[in-house]
Amino acid sequence: MKAVKFLTCCILAAFIIFMPAGTRTARAAAPRYARADARDVYFCERKDLNYALFTIPYTYCVEILSTEGEWYYVKYAEDNDKYRALYGYCLSEKLTPLETPPENIYLNRPVTVTFKADPPVGSLPVLDALNVTAAFYGTYYSGATAYSYVYYNGAFGYVYGANDDYPLNEIPTDETEQPPAENKGKTNTTVIIALALSALAAAALFILYLTGRKSKYFRPDK
């Protein structure tokens, strides 16, 4: 009787230890980044496409800060010598949440912007064209006309023309986006151990129940 109780306690203790571990392994963390899988994923100041600023460069990512219905509140870009981080909203429908972001999360592509003064009337001298380097964020389309959203000298603004000729991130196939087989194996092993311990615990309880009934109703002759 004591041996059965001891066995039951050991099995139940092991069951309690292993089950939370299996639960933690099976629960996936919320994705931190989302990739633009279309060329018309707009970054907006508000949750309204009328406040769109630019399109997220295709195959690049935003950082998901929170989810608000069909919108993500996101961050795009990092503060560095040419770029400044922007915070706003993107519709989630054309963004793919990622467990592992690409090597290049944001597009880092400074562009050359040319300023050229219109020639004045008469023979007054004018400066040659002035070239400056600005940080390119994305393209904004107004009908058939494209503009580039850029940052220069502490200010954001638009310049005429698109800048869509940039290297793309590689989009993994469905198979490569799945969790590694090693992790799957660990999860499956933990689940199998938990199920086996559950079965052993149930068997031990059943034996304990039968033993208790036998000791209750069986009275050997003195």
Side-chain angles (χ1 to χ4, degrees):
M1 182 67 178
K2 292 182 178 180
V4 173
K5 288 184 178 180
F6 178 75
L7 176 61
T8 303
C9 291
C10 290
I11 293 175
L12 289 177
F15 178 74
I16 293 171
I17 292 171
F18 275 95
M19 278 304 292
T23 303
R24 287 194 298 270
T25 303
R27 186 183 297 121
R32 181 179 173 184
Y33 296 96
R35 183 184 62 229
D37 282 345
R39 296 183 182 273
D40 58 349
V41 180
Y42 275 94
F43 180 96
C44 306
E45 287 184 292
R46 307 180 188 178
K47 290 184 287 185
D48 187 337
L49 289 176
N50 292 321
Y51 292 88
L53 296 178
F54 59 91
T55 56
I56 302 297
Y58 180 56
T59 72
Y60 289 84
C61 299
V62 293
E63 181 179 353
I64 302 172
L65 302 178
S66 65
T67 302
E68 302 179 17
E70 62 181 348
W71 293 86
Y72 287 140
Y73 179 58
V74 302
K75 169 186 153 184
Y76 182 76
E78 298 279 2
D79 292 332
N80 56 40
D81 58 336
K82 289 187 174 59
Y83 281 83
R84 293 294 179 269
L86 288 180
Y87 297 85
Y89 296 88
C90 290
L91 283 170
S92 60
E93 61 179 346
K94 295 179 182 178
L95 288 167
T96 300
L98 302 176
E99 293 183 2
T100 304
E103 180 179 356
N104 299 309
I105 299 174
Y106 312 114
L107 177 64
N108 189 333
R109 189 174 180 81
V111 294
T112 300
V113 178
T114 302
F115 293 95
K116 187 175 182 180
D118 293 331
V121 177
S123 58
L124 295 176
V126 296
L127 293 175
D128 293 333
L130 177 63
N131 295 323
V132 299
T133 302
F136 171 76
Y137 279 74
T139 305
Y140 179 84
Y141 298 93
S142 178
T145 305
Y147 300 89
S148 291
Y149 192 68
V150 300
Y151 175 78
Y152 170 72
N153 198 25
F156 290 93
Y158 295 94
V159 295
Y160 181 76
N163 185 37
D164 294 334
D165 184 21
Y166 50 80
L168 303 180
N169 282 320
E170 181 180 355
I171 298 180
T173 62
D174 292 339
E175 290 75 15
T176 57
E177 285 193 348
Q178 296 298 323
E182 181 182 355
N183 292 339
K184 285 186 177 180
K186 290 180 179 178
T187 301
N188 293 337
T189 301
T190 305
V191 172
I192 292 172
I193 292 174
L195 292 175
L197 290 174
S198 300
L200 288 174
L205 289 174
F206 182 68
I207 294 172
L208 182 62
Y209 171 74
L210 293 179
T211 306
R213 285 178 59 87
K214 182 176 180 181
S215 61
K216 180 178 179 180
Y217 293 106
F218 178 69
R219 294 290 186 272
D221 294 335
K222 297 183 180 179

